[in-house]
Amino acid sequence: QVQLVEAGGGMVQAGGSLRLSCAASESIFSIPVMRWYRQAPGKQRDWVAIITNRGSTNYADSVKGRFTISRDNAKNTVYLQMNSLKPEDTGAYYCNAKGGTYDYWGQGTQVTVSS
């Protein structure tokens, strides 16, 4: 089973920036896709960004142009750089590793953006 550990969440003012990290227990180049999701209290968990083991990326419309997903294969780590943060970005952010036979999640890291 792939273990995922998120870090980097915190409290920030609107317009500020944070960088989240997701450290995996095995080589990320063997994982077909890695994704970031977020979930506000009482709401569904929404997809925000994806990166494949071939380097392709995509983003939800709500974060496009502000967030950047990247990976460091040597560190087995995926990052989410979040700029121009808005109060509606507030939520628990989760890292997801998905393959043909598995779908694993980290424990989450809290991001709170004040207005």
Side-chain angles (χ1 to χ4, degrees):
Q1 182 171 334
V2 179
Q3 302 291 324
L4 303 172
V5 179
E6 301 99 330
M11 192 173 297
V12 65
Q13 291 183 342
S17 297
L18 287 172
R19 189 178 75 157
L20 308 183
S21 63
C22 171
S25 62
E26 63 184 73
S27 300
I28 60 174
F29 55 76
S30 69
I31 301 172
V33 300
M34 298 195 72
R35 309 170 192 260
W36 285 98
Y37 287 75
R38 66 187 181 190
Q39 186 172 24
K43 297 187 179 296
Q44 68 178 18
R45 186 172 296 183
D46 292 327
W47 167 77
V48 299
I50 184 172
I51 187 166
T52 74
N53 60 357
R54 296 179 177 175
S56 297
T57 61
N58 210 344
Y59 303 89
D61 287 343
S62 59
V63 307
K64 192 170 297 183
R66 300 186 298 118
F67 290 12
T68 303
I69 189 170
S70 62
R71 66 185 186 186
D72 186 334
N73 290 339
K75 296 181 178 179
N76 290 335
T77 300
V78 173
Y79 300 94
L80 186 68
Q81 178 67 47
M82 306 186 295
N83 298 327
S84 301
L85 283 162
K86 304 174 180 179
E88 51 262 45
D89 295 319
T90 293
Y93 282 69
Y94 297 89
C95 183
N96 166 245
K98 186 173 178 64
T101 60
Y102 58 85
D103 190 2
Y104 299 132
W105 297 85
Q107 84 290 342
T109 185
Q110 179 67 37
V111 172
T112 302
V113 184
S114 62
S115 59

